[in-house]
Amino acid sequence: MRLVVNGATRELPETVTLNSLLSEMGIDQPRGIAVAVDGEVVARGTWDRTRLRDGQRIKILRAVQGG
Amino acid sequence: MTEKFQIAGRIFESRLLFGTGGFTSLQVMGQALSESESQIATVAMRRVDPLARGSILDVIEAAGCDILPNTAGCYTAADAVLTAQMAREALDTNWIKLEVIGDDRTLFPDGPELIRAARQLVEEGFVVLPYCNDDPILARRLEDAGCAAVMPLGSPIGSGAGIRNPYNIAIIVEGASVPVVLDAGIGTASDAALAMELGCDAVLVASAISKAKDPIGMARSIRLGCEAGRLSYESGRIPQRLYALGSSPPLELDD
């Protein structure tokens, strides 16, 4: 299936969860990170049971330096 | 020792809020942060970069500061609201420095979008600190919307041009019943002192410190400017006069 992750298209197997997407991206430290799927924030505690579906738009943000 | 100030029931001794943008290294940022004695430091929310090393959160926490996320880079209320919700999830805080920008040349806030975002975030239980224009009516509308403070700009973000309209800032201070935090435009210690002398409760400074030749020295200088300005405000300056008023007793003349 195809997902749009932070604006870029990615091909992934059908069974992927939010957690597995994050580890595939090399994001192993959830601190300071938040995820939204189709414009809705997904609580950190539910990442491992959030199944992703074809066509969804995933936004992953992290705290960085900024005024 | 000057009075403490509070936002949403939380008491702060430092009246200097620290913007973390623009530092060339986290190490320098950490030293400047500790020299500033700030108790609140801002962060932005950006697309994750798995290759990024070092965590700004560690540096802020090591300095014993509260983290204040912002919605910098958002141009619509909807974007700002989602960014605030994500910041709350990422950082476990319901405080948000709300920025909704009108264009990228001035980075001036977009008033109507700002009010729309503020209303929604207040309804969702956020402590909303909106970055706004130096417009007393907009500041009043934001207060009416339930914001916990107002943060008028002194001049454009990163311009270092100081306070271009001190009269408007004074009017905002006079009318506000929430804290007024001067945000954007501070270039040096005297700008921070002026903000405090005008009666602002605090200032937020980023570029003036992070882009100074010596950020650590400038952090100290602006902290002292802030303290001096506040002390002057609380001590009460003398009224300005057009003509002289001698400060020595009149000379006795013997004809």
Side-chain angles (χ1 to χ4, degrees):
Chain A
M1 65 174 176
R2 205 166 264 191
L3 298 175
V4 181
V5 182
N6 280 346
T9 304
R10 273 177 172 255
E11 283 290 345
L12 288 149
E14 292 293 335
T15 55
V16 79
T17 64
L18 203 42
N19 241 6
S20 51
L21 171 69
L22 292 173
S23 42
E24 192 193 288
M25 292 176 68
I27 302 163
D28 39 20
Q29 163 68 275
R31 184 157 172 260
I33 285 178
V35 182
V37 176
D38 290 336
E40 297 286 332
V41 179
V42 182
R44 189 173 311 164
T46 66
W47 288 355
D48 56 346
R49 44 179 200 276
T50 302
R51 293 209 176 282
L52 300 176
R53 292 191 310 274
D54 188 49
Q56 283 184 319
R57 302 183 72 84
I58 323 291
K59 189 169 182 175
I60 311 170
L61 299 185
R62 172 189 198 193
V64 299
Q65 279 178 247
Chain B
M1 198 60 192
T2 55
E3 293 166 15
K4 297 179 168 88
F5 92 108
Q6 51 175 301
I7 300 177
R10 235 145 89 184
I11 295 167
F12 300 97
E13 284 183 28
S14 164
R15 292 172 178 272
L16 174 57
L17 281 67
F18 190 92
T20 61
F23 286 93
T24 49
S25 84
L26 283 179
Q27 195 203 350
V28 174
M29 191 203 91
Q31 285 173 282
L33 179 53
S34 119
E35 193 59 66
S36 75
E37 295 181 11
S38 293
Q39 294 172 292
I40 300 176
T42 63
V43 295
M45 299 300 294
R46 286 293 175 273
R47 284 177 178 179
V48 72
D49 171 9
L51 301 176
R53 284 285 156 262
S55 168
I56 185 176
L57 302 181
D58 293 337
V59 180
I60 295 174
E61 278 169 14
C65 270
D66 291 345
I67 293 169
L68 175 63
N70 68 29
T71 63
C74 293
Y75 283 79
T76 64
D79 253 5
V81 167
L82 178 59
T83 303
Q85 291 166 338
M86 293 183 78
R88 176 165 64 180
E89 176 65 19
L91 301 166
D92 295 317
T93 175
N94 63 344
W95 285 43
I96 191 76
K97 178 187 159 188
L98 179 62
E99 292 186 38
V100 189
I101 297 305
D103 73 49
D104 62 3
R105 186 166 155 83
T106 62
L107 297 179
F108 282 150
D110 181 323
E113 288 294 296
L114 191 61
I115 291 170
R116 197 168 301 136
R119 283 195 182 124
Q120 186 172 342
L121 290 170
V122 167
E123 201 177 294
E124 293 182 20
F126 282 86
V127 172
V128 180
L129 317 177
Y131 163 62
C132 58
N133 300 292
D134 55 359
D135 172 353
I137 308 304
L138 177 59
R140 188 195 301 160
R141 294 274 180 263
L142 289 164
E143 186 178 332
D144 292 346
C147 292
V150 289
M151 304 183 69
L153 55 82
S155 52
I157 291 173
S159 70
I163 300 175
R164 282 188 178 159
N165 195 338
Y167 303 99
N168 274 25
I169 298 297
I171 293 171
I172 290 172
V173 167
E174 190 185 284
S177 50
V178 293
V180 177
V181 181
L182 191 106
D183 185 6
I186 299 289
T188 187
S190 56
D191 296 333
L194 174 59
M196 303 311 290
E197 287 169 9
L198 289 168
C200 293
D201 294 275
V203 296
L204 194 154
V205 180
S207 309
I209 295 174
S210 66
K211 295 184 176 164
K213 194 176 72 184
D214 171 9
I216 299 154
M218 190 57 91
R220 174 157 193 256
S221 158
I222 288 179
R223 161 169 61 86
L224 294 172
C226 230
E227 285 173 15
R230 180 66 196 183
L231 191 54
S232 293
Y233 176 75
E234 289 178 16
S235 306
R237 73 167 292 159
I238 60 166
Q240 297 186 66
R241 301 167 51 94
L242 187 56
Y243 294 105
L245 181 64
S247 57
S248 306
L251 201 60
E252 292 90 355
L253 298 175
D254 305 329
D255 298 314

